[in-house]
Amino acid sequence: MKHLLNTLFVTSKDVYLTLDGENVVVNREKQEIARYPLHNLLNIISFSYAGASPALLGACAKRDIGFAFCTPSGRILARVTGESNGNVLLRRTQYRVADELSQSCRVARTMVFGKLYNSRWSIERSCRDHGLRVNAEALKGASAKLKELLPIVLEESDLDSLRGLEGVGASIYYGVIDNMILNNKEVFYFRERSRRPPLDPMNALLSFAYSLLAHDCASALESVGLDAYVGFLHRDRAGRASLALDLMEELRPCVADRFVLTLINNRIVSASDFETSETGAVFFTDNGRRTFLRNWQEKKRETITHPYLSEKIQWGTVPYIQALLLARYLRGDLDEYPPFLWK
């Protein structure tokens, strides 16, 4: 599928990207060090401060190749896209639903339901696979609490109350995530969520995974004609892709969090993959970032049976499938938006 074509990750901090014919050219100190055909690419994600030429950005926009500028730690600074070719009627419906709080809540509560459901099954997966190495009592207790929240979330009709329930669920889940970390606990531990900047390697991993997932969700939404910046749970804020954040909520536990736990528990990452700044912020080394991205791409190629469609798909297509289902709901083809329920 087109959505699984190569993503070019530019991990070096000092390279500048230019256009030469139909190729992306990677330059360091005005010397060409690599080139890649544009027709092989779906996305370019750059972690370099040096930037890219206007000609390259224009070529990517014309060819519908997403281009994202990120800090070396993975925080998205800007995304470049071409002229919107989405269905104007679909977007007008999206805006009307977003303006009506009760309709927004109807969509948002299914996404929050998906997040809490997947958080619960992430916990259950750790109990099942590592029952003798984890605090099963604490994990089972958290799972039971999340299960109790699920029917309450589906009945909620107020956005503020829904956000409160989501916060309670997130607190329960993050309260036991340290129990799911099995190896190298002196380096990888979780006390609390810290962002901008992350203050320990676990938070650095989570932040980087969330940034990549948010980019994939924004690209998926735009590919089906939706506006990634107009959300239902996350309200409008300048420069924030609110609908992408909505969509990624249900995918955080099963896509990002489980991936991070796999990196740690399988000893794919180690203390040498991180560095600490004078301010206490923890970031990837260049090698650590490359290790993460290589495994991230491999994970996206693995297959899973979609719980709603009952068809085998690759993990990398999950945001696109969910974006399509959301578009179908907004068009009136589905009675409810079906969240991705992993198990």
Side-chain angles (χ1 to χ4, degrees), residues 118-298:
N118 292 333
S119 296
R120 177 173 180 249
W121 282 109
S122 176
I123 292 172
E124 290 290 338
R125 177 67 66 92
S126 289
C127 288
R128 186 195 72 186
D129 294 347
H130 310 288
L132 298 178
R133 300 180 62 190
V134 299
N135 185 340
E137 183 179 355
L139 291 178
K140 287 292 185 180
S143 175
K145 291 177 182 178
L146 289 172
K147 185 178 180 179
E148 292 174 359
L149 281 178
L150 294 177
I152 302 174
V153 165
L154 283 183
E155 295 297 324
E156 188 54 66
S157 59
D158 179 77
L159 268 177
D160 288 334
S161 298
L162 180 64
R163 293 189 187 97
L165 292 171
E166 187 274 335
V168 171
S171 178
I172 294 170
Y173 175 65
Y174 280 132
V176 296
I177 200 170
D178 186 67
N179 288 284
M180 295 186 276
I181 301 173
L182 305 178
N183 292 317
N184 210 356
K185 296 281 284 191
E186 66 277 7
V187 175
F188 299 105
Y189 53 84
F190 187 85
R191 302 292 179 264
E192 61 181 358
R193 185 78 178 101
S194 60
R195 302 175 294 174
R196 300 179 184 175
L199 299 177
D200 56 66
M202 180 64 176
N203 273 290
L205 286 163
L206 289 174
S207 292
F208 199 53
Y210 293 158
S211 291
L212 293 174
L213 182 57
H215 173 270
D216 287 349
C217 287
S219 296
L221 291 164
E222 290 167 359
S223 74
V224 302
L226 290 167
D227 188 334
Y229 288 83
V230 178
F232 305 122
L233 179 65
H234 295 82
R235 309 308 291 175
D236 295 353
R237 181 185 297 176
R240 182 172 75 176
S242 296
L243 188 59
L245 297 181
D246 288 355
L247 185 63
M248 73 178 284
E249 287 296 343
E250 66 201 63
L251 303 179
R252 285 178 189 256
C254 55
V255 176
D257 297 349
R258 294 304 304 184
F259 174 75
V260 166
L261 289 170
T262 297
L263 291 183
I264 297 171
N265 293 339
N266 290 350
R267 303 183 187 275
I268 297 171
V269 293
S270 63
S272 63
D273 292 318
F274 302 88
E275 54 189 6
T276 304
S277 70
E278 294 179 355
T279 63
V282 176
F283 301 112
F284 277 107
T285 63
D286 286 347
N287 184 65
R289 191 182 302 109
R290 284 191 290 269
T291 298
F292 187 105
L293 292 171
R294 181 177 65 253
N295 284 274
W296 179 262
Q297 288 298 90
E298 291 174 358

